[in-house]
Amino acid sequence: MLAPATTLFTGIGQLVTNDPAFAASAGVERLGIVDHAAMLVVDGVVQWAGAASSLPVADAAALAVSDADVVDLAGAAVIPGFVDSHTHLVFGGDRAAEFEARMSGQAYSAGGIRSTVAATRAATDAELTARLDTFVAELHAQGTTTFEIKSGYGLTVDDEARLLAIARRVTEDTTFLGAHVVPAEFAADPDAYVDLVVGEMLDACAPHARWIDTFCETGAFTPEQSRRILKAGAARGLGVRLHASQLAPGAGIRLAVDLDAASVDHCTYLTDDDIVALAGSSTVATLLPGVEFSTRQPYPDARRLIDAGVTVALASDCNPGSSFTSSMPFCIAVAVRDMGMTPAEAVWSATAGGAAALRRTDVGHLAPGARADFVALRAPGYVHLAYRPGVPLAAGVWRAGARLA
Ligand code: NIG
Ligand code: FE
């Protein structure tokens, strides 16, 4: 049997654990901060994390005899790797012209999705794969160690299945989003498209997916169509997530809560009843600051959600239409500046919050038993993620104890 691979990370100036053993339920304490910390990683899993002065003697002794690898992080702050629970990274083309027109006053509409569908259908698997690999490198370099990817730019049985198969190469959190928008060829009969989504398309896509999602919004799918699609996915064993209330308030939030969705995403326009429903549920509200930034819409009110007791996640929604950023630090900075979040809340939501939105207990925190996914920041503390917007602060990124960037 091979000896376990053991690494001791020392010299951590500030360690954000998100570990309930160190953390209170709210405020900065929620981050479970340990100063002057060390972390012991065995076979890619955190075995111990805490104040360097209290590293258990038995572990220290074992290290001395096993000649363990020791990495001195020279005073850096360390946070859990970002968990980006909402992306659309498999697509062809871009929509820079649409963005430019928006910045001259044109409104965002769900219809723009169709232009990416045309470019994606025309792209080969090799082209889509190469581009995805570039995005993955971009995510890693910025500290994202877990990410979800949705289909939704194919909208035929074969195209949706191939987008999911391509995404599956790089993440287990793949989401079938055949119900992204009604494709042009079904414009006259949207319900016939819904029949296809819940029938042959779901059959072809379910083996490549962990989740099902629907865009429940005027111009995309009605609440009734969305319910039908999500229930069909759930019956096939897929977890439920939903895009809702991006462009206007609607019935999507209540639908998500009703179906015990892991997450409802966007939440830009919420009624008081929506907030009460979310607060009484285990559905995470995932906010996507890049969307409001790139569409010049009002930002969602994270403060209102958090004060009501709702679990909030932050994600990039990286896609060529509404939010072409893959940067979680950017999302944190905007959420702090414009959505009423404190830096501690934003960092928690971009790590532990994302993990909750994906119903994952192995990532988003640095407690014994967690996968050793973490970012060493070129900064003395986590606040710098919001305090130094636009500055690349990820000095080193590890996943399962192995260096990624
Ligand atoms: O999450 N809202 C629906 N889907 C994407 C937008 C995709 C696009 O415009 O291409 C979103 O914002
Ligand atoms: Fe999206």
Side-chain angles (χ1 to χ4, degrees):
M1 202 176 83
L2 287 176
T6 300
T7 308
L8 179 64
F9 293 88
T10 62
I12 301 171
Q14 179 191 70
L15 178 65
V16 171
T17 64
N18 291 339
D19 178 356
F22 293 111
S25 62
V28 174
E29 288 74 26
R30 195 173 198 189
L31 293 181
I33 291 173
V34 182
D35 291 325
H36 308 297
M39 186 165 63
L40 183 63
V41 174
V42 178
D43 285 343
V45 172
V46 176
Q47 175 150 317
W48 179 89
S53 57
S54 62
L55 179 66
V57 175
D59 288 331
L63 290 170
V65 293
S66 66
D67 194 22
D69 205 2
V70 176
V71 177
D72 182 355
L73 294 173
V78 166
I79 62 168
F82 297 119
V83 180
D84 190 349
S85 60
H86 183 147
T87 83
H88 307 246
L89 293 174
V90 191
F91 62 86
D94 81 19
R95 282 156 49 202
E98 183 188 307
F99 174 79
E100 191 172 34
R102 262 201 317 274
M103 295 305 110
S104 316
Q106 216 152 81
Y108 175 80
S109 87
I113 294 169
R114 292 203 187 100
S115 74
T116 299
V117 169
T120 304
R121 287 177 180 174
T124 64
D125 287 3
E127 286 163 347
L128 295 172
T129 301
R131 191 146 188 224
L132 174 59
D133 288 345
T134 306
F135 288 133
V136 170
E138 199 175 286
L139 293 171
H140 289 164
Q142 296 173 98
T144 299
T145 48
T146 299
F147 49 88
E148 176 263 19
I149 300 180
K150 301 174 197 302
S151 65
Y153 289 120
L155 310 187
T156 66
V157 172
D158 288 349
D159 283 305
E160 285 295 299
R162 84 185 173 108
L163 300 190
L164 285 166
I166 289 169
R168 248 296 145 87
R169 286 174 49 252
V170 297
T171 182
E172 65 206 74
D173 280 299
T174 49
T175 301
F176 170 44
L177 181 59
H180 198 185
V181 75
V182 176
E185 61 275 20
F186 282 90
D189 192 359
D191 282 324
Y193 182 65
V194 175
D195 291 342
L196 180 68
V197 170
V198 300
E200 202 188 331
M201 198 181 280
L202 179 59
D203 286 342
C205 291
H208 307 292
R210 178 172 179 224
W211 302 99
I212 185 156
D213 192 345
T214 298
F215 186 15
C216 180
E217 196 87 40
T218 303
F221 295 87
T222 65
E224 295 69 31
Q225 290 169 332
S226 301
R227 178 183 289 274
R228 184 175 166 217
I229 294 161
L230 296 175
K231 286 188 82 162
R236 294 292 294 266
L238 302 181
V240 172
R241 33 203 335 106
L242 185 63
H243 284 68
S245 299
Q246 173 186 358
L247 304 172
I253 306 291
R254 261 117 342 121
L255 173 62
V257 168
D258 232 41
L259 297 179
D260 188 31
S263 177
V264 59
D265 299 38
H266 287 284
C267 301
T268 309
Y269 295 92
L270 297 181
T271 64
D272 290 344
D273 286 351
D274 289 338
I275 293 191
V276 169
L278 283 167
S281 77
S282 57
T283 299
V284 172
T286 299
L287 309 182
L288 310 166
V291 173
E292 283 72 35
F293 181 91
S294 305
T295 57
R296 286 214 175 124
Q297 284 192 267
Y299 287 99
D301 189 348
R303 186 76 269 133
R304 193 170 157 223
L305 285 162
I306 292 171
D307 288 347
V310 177
T311 302
V312 170
L314 290 173
S316 72
D317 195 8
C318 187
N319 77 78
S322 63
S323 177
F324 202 6
T325 181
S326 56
S327 170
M328 293 296 278
F330 170 78
C331 295
I332 288 171
V334 175
V336 169
R337 170 64 179 76
D338 288 314
M339 288 162 46
M341 297 182 92
T342 65
E345 287 165 345
V347 169
W348 189 92
S349 291
T351 52
L358 294 174
R359 296 207 165 150
R360 288 188 56 167
T361 55
D362 57 331
V363 297
H365 61 119
L366 292 169
R371 200 168 77 182
D373 293 4
F374 58 96
V375 188
L377 299 177
R378 209 172 283 112
Y382 71 88
V383 178
H384 280 229
L385 287 163
Y387 174 48
R388 304 206 65 212
V391 178
L393 293 180
V397 182
W398 284 260
R399 187 182 54 205
R403 185 127 187 200
L404 284 180

